[in-house]
Amino acid sequence: MDVHIVPGVKAKDVAEAHRLDLLHQQEHGCNCMTYWIDEARESIFCLIDAPDKGAVAEMHSKAHGLIPNKIIEVNSSLVEAFLGRIYDPSDAPISNDGLKVFADPSFRILLVTKTTDPVLLKHQLGDEQADELLSTHTGIIRKNILQHGGREVEHEGSGFVVSFSSASKAVECALAISKEIPDPVSTQIDLKLAVNAGEPVERSELLFGETIQFAVNMCRIAKEGKIAIASPVKELIADDLFQKERKYFLNLLPQDEHLLKLLFGKLEENWQDADFDLSDYCSATAMSGSQLYRKTIALTSLPPNSLLKDFRLHKAKDLMRKQYYNIAQITFDSGFTSASYFTKCFKKKYGLLPMTYLELLH
């Protein structure tokens, strides 16, 4: 999938460019499957079955000269889950000159949920009780996804990613889930919900990667069962809905959102570097030690050194889920310098040894 940012773009112009792509696709081993156009946001996203990114750029260049701003590799089934289709809309009108013209934006509102890792939950509560809690939670979420017109994109272990074309439906779905899941269940599984909005291709190499990651980071700081709502979503929902249900929402100020992106963005860039320490974190965020401490505590309730350590432990657990079996390698790959220190930190945070976690996982 690629993205083109074209000021003043119109649906008919894109239909013509797509027609030209179709004329040249075979020369470059490509199959131009479909596209999405958002006139208001002046963006075009093309879905192409191609041998590599170079073939896509060359085909576009020869066909009409619109070079993509970015190209990423995607899975077509994931595209369909997020966007609802991987071919042109069947009901698109045909213009007098034979062009299939449609304006179908790819902007989506994503509901992201997070719970305690099921492996840890089963270790803490036992298989039967953990399965019962997770089954209750999953049933309620899936029922509400269906009722509010969402599309389940992903349910992998500790949460859901759900795609909506309507911001109000996404927020109403999150509210319904929050109200329906019993407090004891929500507390025991540590349920977090966040709603963010964005485009399929931005800076990340993953489909909707940036939008999902920010929602995940909002889940990290959501407290007291509140639903974290990103500013692009708040701008799209009716103010009366937001005011009426205000007690359920965590609504960050723009400067807090910027800080959240900065703090976790620098962690994402540097967590595997064992030499990255608190002084480097200060330099990366352009803050003094006292500034970083004060702002990190205010936003995340953790001092920066604890935030860095917890982030690395979370990433280490992700590596284990991807079938990294060697503890020494996991220690190194997650930015720890000592396997014994890593083991001690892991045990303190999660209540079991890394090797025990691996055994339970696999």
Side-chain angles (χ1 to χ4, degrees):
M1 179 171 273
D2 65 34
V3 56
H4 305 261
I5 307 300
V6 184
V9 68
K10 298 298 179 187
K12 188 169 182 180
D13 299 331
V14 180
E16 173 60 22
H18 183 61
R19 184 187 69 80
L20 294 172
D21 279 334
L22 293 174
L23 291 176
H24 292 278
Q25 62 181 0
Q26 289 187 347
E27 301 168 30
H28 303 275
C30 296
N31 174 22
C32 299
M33 298 167 71
T34 190
Y35 62 87
W36 290 260
I37 170 182
D38 190 330
E39 293 182 345
R41 295 182 178 87
E42 301 182 322
S43 60
I44 311 152
F45 296 83
C46 305
L47 183 65
I48 301 163
D49 185 8
D52 51 51
K53 296 178 182 181
V56 172
E58 290 169 9
M59 178 193 67
H60 280 325
S61 177
K62 186 167 184 180
H64 44 65
L66 290 175
I67 304 301
N69 293 75
K70 186 177 177 68
I71 307 171
I72 66 170
E73 294 182 19
V74 296
N75 180 297
S76 60
S77 61
L78 204 56
V79 173
E80 188 168 17
F82 273 115
L83 298 174
R85 62 181 180 85
I86 56 171
Y87 300 108
D88 292 347
S90 57
D91 58 352
I94 306 296
S95 67
N96 292 334
D97 49 2
L99 288 176
K100 186 183 285 187
V101 181
F102 54 91
D104 182 18
S106 60
F107 188 80
R108 290 294 183 271
I109 296 82
L110 303 184
L111 166 61
V112 173
T113 78
K114 285 292 175 184
T115 65
T116 299
D117 182 334
V119 174
L120 297 177
L121 198 65
K122 290 178 180 182
H123 177 73
Q124 294 161 7
L125 304 176
D127 288 0
E128 187 175 344
Q129 187 180 355
D131 285 339
E132 184 179 342
L133 289 170
L134 292 170
S135 177
T136 299
H137 144 268
T138 299
I140 290 171
I141 287 183
R142 285 192 165 137
K143 182 190 77 173
N144 279 285
I145 291 172
L146 186 63
Q147 289 178 347
H148 292 87
R151 299 181 65 89
E152 181 181 328
V153 176
E154 193 175 281
H155 177 220
E156 186 177 346
S158 59
F160 283 83
V161 176
V162 188
S163 176
F164 294 84
S165 54
S166 161
S168 59
K169 292 290 186 185
V171 172
E172 287 166 3
C173 182
L175 274 168
I177 290 167
S178 181
K179 291 177 180 180
E180 190 173 344
I181 291 184
D183 287 342
V185 174
S186 181
T187 301
Q188 284 186 289
I189 65 174
D190 193 24
L191 177 64
K192 311 279 190 181
L193 301 102
V195 188
N196 193 17
E199 300 280 16
V201 183
E202 295 180 284
R203 288 191 292 272
S204 171
E205 291 298 317
L206 301 174
L207 194 67
F208 286 99
E210 201 172 330
T211 305
I212 294 171
Q213 189 57 60
F214 187 65
V216 168
N217 290 338
M218 287 197 297
C219 285
R220 293 178 193 269
I221 65 166
K223 300 178 184 69
E224 301 168 356
K226 292 201 172 186
I227 303 162
I229 306 290
S231 53
V233 178
K234 187 175 182 295
E235 291 169 5
L236 293 170
I237 62 175
D239 196 53
D240 57 345
L241 170 62
F242 189 81
Q243 295 301 330
K244 181 182 176 183
E245 306 289 0
R246 191 178 192 86
K247 67 179 182 179
Y248 290 98
F249 297 135
L250 167 64
N251 178 229
L252 296 176
L253 296 171
Q255 58 265 35
D256 291 331
E257 289 195 351
H258 174 75
L259 178 61
L260 185 65
K261 289 177 181 178
L262 177 65
L263 290 176
F264 283 101
K266 295 305 177 184
L267 292 179
E268 193 67 50
E269 290 172 14
N270 297 286
W271 64 276
Q272 290 185 291
D273 180 1
D275 293 327
F276 184 79
D277 58 15
L278 195 54
S279 62
D280 295 318
Y281 201 7
C282 291
S283 298
T285 55
M287 285 187 257
S288 68
S290 58
Q291 280 180 311
L292 182 62
Y293 182 88
R294 187 175 66 253
K295 292 189 175 186
T296 305
I297 284 282
L299 190 63
T300 70
S301 301
L302 290 173
N305 56 338
S306 296
L307 184 64
L308 174 57
K309 183 170 64 179
D310 278 10
F311 194 85
R312 282 175 165 150
L313 288 170
H314 178 78
K315 290 291 191 178
K317 193 154 63 66
D318 281 349
L319 292 177
M320 294 183 200
R321 296 189 71 86
K322 294 171 184 173
Q323 300 187 352
Y324 279 64
Y325 292 104
N326 186 300
I327 296 298
Q329 188 65 41
I330 291 167
T331 298
F332 175 78
D333 286 351
S334 54
F336 288 88
T337 54
S338 160
S340 60
Y341 179 65
F342 166 68
T343 298
K344 177 183 174 181
C345 293
F346 193 95
K347 175 76 160 57
K348 183 176 180 181
K349 181 170 178 61
Y350 297 120
L352 74 173
L353 296 171
M355 187 55 71
T356 306
Y357 180 81
L358 277 173
E359 290 167 356
L360 292 171
L361 185 64
H362 299 298

